Amino acid sequence: MRFTRAAVAAVGIAALLTTAACGSGDDSGGTGSTKVEVFTWWADGGEKAGLDGLVSAFGTACAGQTFENGAVAGGAGANAKSVLASRLQQNTPPDTFQAHAGAELLDYIDAGQVEDISADYDSWGLKKAFPQGLIDNLTVDGKIYSVPANIHRANVVWSNKKVTTAAGITADPKDLNEFFAALDKLKAKGVTPLAVGKDWTQLMLFESVLITDLGPEKFTGLWNGTTPWNDPGVTKGIADFKKLLSYTNKDRDALDWTDAEKQIMDGKAGYQLMGDWEAADLDAKGFKDYAWFTFPGNGTTFQWLADSFVLPKGAKNPEGTKCWLKTVGSAEGQKAFNTKKGSIPARTDASPADYPKYQQAAMADWKSAKPVPSCAHGSACSQGWQGAANSALGAYSTNQDDAALTKALTAAAEQFGKKK
Ligand code: GAL
């Protein structure tokens, strides 16, 4: 996919930054700062472990620069994104921030909040390091604005092996019917069959069901306008999703993904649909009894998302930020980060043998996968659309009103889907 929207011209500031970056004796863009404030939502567990890996690679590659942690806790950036939005509005940006490749990044590009770093891509050799599809995805009107750190997969079900075995489940469910049968076995054992958290985690579950009921092409069409939200596959998806919700914990709307994950670790729940940051988080927390499978009925579809980092307009230390970005894109940086984060490197030159078991499997899957994007994690939809979808799912969790959900999702697509 290639984005076609007009990029916001920023020649003046870009030229200024280039001059500062090339100047001798002052590596701070003229502000005197040698701190690089890195804004993420990676505050704990496997997410923090991944960030720490990147920070140590940065320390080695960028002598004289200091990492400053600007993390705001909350899964999927639930809190971080609003803090970031107000900082950008007040023109007090961090030196760099995390943004999902795809539609979410486009929001920042369109708002003129991030710098074109195409020239750095050339000098850092990144055009050859990343797969062409990803480069195309990151390119807007011929320019590139961010460096991807990874590829994550969203459509994965995690399980507590002891709990599923005790319930008599002997094989991974391959389709929704088998999944419902397994959930019934867990229910009979008195555990929560499927742990889930609040809005965005429910959106992830719903998206996985839609991939099954629509197939990958039509699912992707929901986000590019070629599949209507009143398609019969969506109607079936809502019915299946409603049934799945009946197997989930009642306190779901109050939980973050890590709270739902804790139910798995504590043996109180059997399954959880979550992105593969869960592998790293379970590892970081020392929980070993887990297994995973692709969401039933998704086949070889790999629902991808990528965390990337940008150079915001008005960053205090652009030179330090560039060293951070270069580290993020480097072989060393990607290895230090991804071996701890549960994701696979965006670079194509990584060696699977360096990675934990889960990532080795994901790397193999990615090669032959049918890729589809994620709205919950910004590769498929803008932040406005994502917010509307989260609210629609949050409301559905309480009212279970199918018609209201279809109406809200149709309205969101009409409002945010025609921006191309
Ligand atoms: C995603 C992000 C992942 C992971 C996850 C849970 O949006 O891309 O890296 O952090 O949220 O917080």
Side-chain angles (χ1 to χ4, degrees), residues 273-352:
L273 177 284
M274 191 39 58
D276 50 14
W277 43 90
E278 180 134 340
D281 204 57
L282 291 168
D283 289 347
K285 290 171 178 166
F287 182 77
K288 294 196 171 52
D289 262 328
Y290 70 88
W292 70 86
F293 52 87
T294 305
F295 186 82
N298 281 192
T300 57
T301 303
F302 191 117
Q303 192 182 27
W304 72 276
L305 57 120
D307 295 302
S308 73
F309 284 90
V310 297
L311 171 58
K313 295 254 169 77
K316 286 204 200 80
N317 179 9
E319 195 58 15
T321 300
K322 287 204 175 182
C323 203
W324 172 265
L325 297 179
K326 187 176 178 186
T327 306
V328 168
S330 68
E332 299 74 22
Q334 299 238 322
K335 183 175 159 189
F337 177 65
N338 288 297
T339 48
K340 300 284 182 220
K341 183 67 170 66
S343 39
I344 61 175
R347 292 180 68 102
T348 53
D349 56 4
S351 163

Side-chain angles (χ1 to χ4, degrees), residues 40-41 72-83 98 100 200 377 386:
T40 68
W41 53 86
V72 175
N79 309 317
K81 284 183 183 174
S82 52
V83 173
Q98 169 191 0
H100 289 121
W200 67 268
H377 302 287
Q386 187 183 87

Side-chain angles (χ1 to χ4, degrees), residues 33-234:
S33 174
T34 51
K35 278 194 216 135
V36 181
E37 189 201 352
V38 178
F39 187 97
T40 68
W41 53 86
W42 298 331
D44 293 298
E47 301 187 304
K48 169 83 163 45
L51 180 62
D52 288 347
L54 208 41
V55 172
S56 101
F58 172 73
T60 308
C62 305
Q65 299 287 346
T66 319
F67 166 82
E68 193 174 84
N69 196 348
V72 175
N79 309 317
K81 284 183 183 174
S82 52
V83 173
L84 178 64
S86 69
R87 286 188 61 177
L88 293 177
Q89 206 170 15
Q90 289 157 21
N91 203 23
T92 53
D95 292 295
T96 184
F97 62 84
Q98 169 191 0
H100 289 121
E104 182 181 307
L105 183 66
L106 201 55
D107 286 340
Y108 299 112
I109 297 170
D110 287 345
Q113 291 165 328
V114 291
E115 296 287 354
D116 169 15
I117 52 167
S118 315
D120 302 299
Y121 257 68
D122 293 330
S123 57
W124 300 338
L126 295 185
K127 287 215 176 113
K128 288 198 192 81
F130 297 135
Q132 191 56 42
L134 185 58
I135 293 282
D136 288 348
N137 202 286
L138 291 165
T139 304
V140 180
D141 293 337
K143 296 176 182 158
I144 303 185
Y145 297 82
S146 78
V147 179
N150 62 358
I151 305 286
H152 262 308
R153 185 176 198 173
N155 57 334
V156 188
V157 178
W158 305 90
S159 69
N160 179 320
K161 283 202 275 187
K162 279 207 182 107
V163 173
T164 52
T165 305
I169 298 166
T170 51
D172 294 339
K174 294 276 174 298
D175 57 29
L176 278 179
N177 283 339
E178 288 184 18
F179 197 30
F180 289 132
L183 293 168
D184 280 329
K185 287 185 178 167
L186 289 161
K187 194 172 173 184
K189 274 278 169 191
V191 294
T192 297
L194 181 62
V196 75
K198 64 184 175 184
D199 52 14
W200 67 268
T201 72
Q202 293 168 30
L203 177 59
M204 288 184 74
L205 183 61
F206 182 49
E207 288 188 63
S208 289
V209 176
L210 289 175
I211 294 169
T212 291
D213 285 334
L214 286 165
E217 288 80 19
K218 284 184 89 176
F219 172 81
T220 303
L222 290 171
W223 313 107
N224 66 25
T226 56
T227 305
W229 281 88
N230 62 3
D231 187 279
V234 178

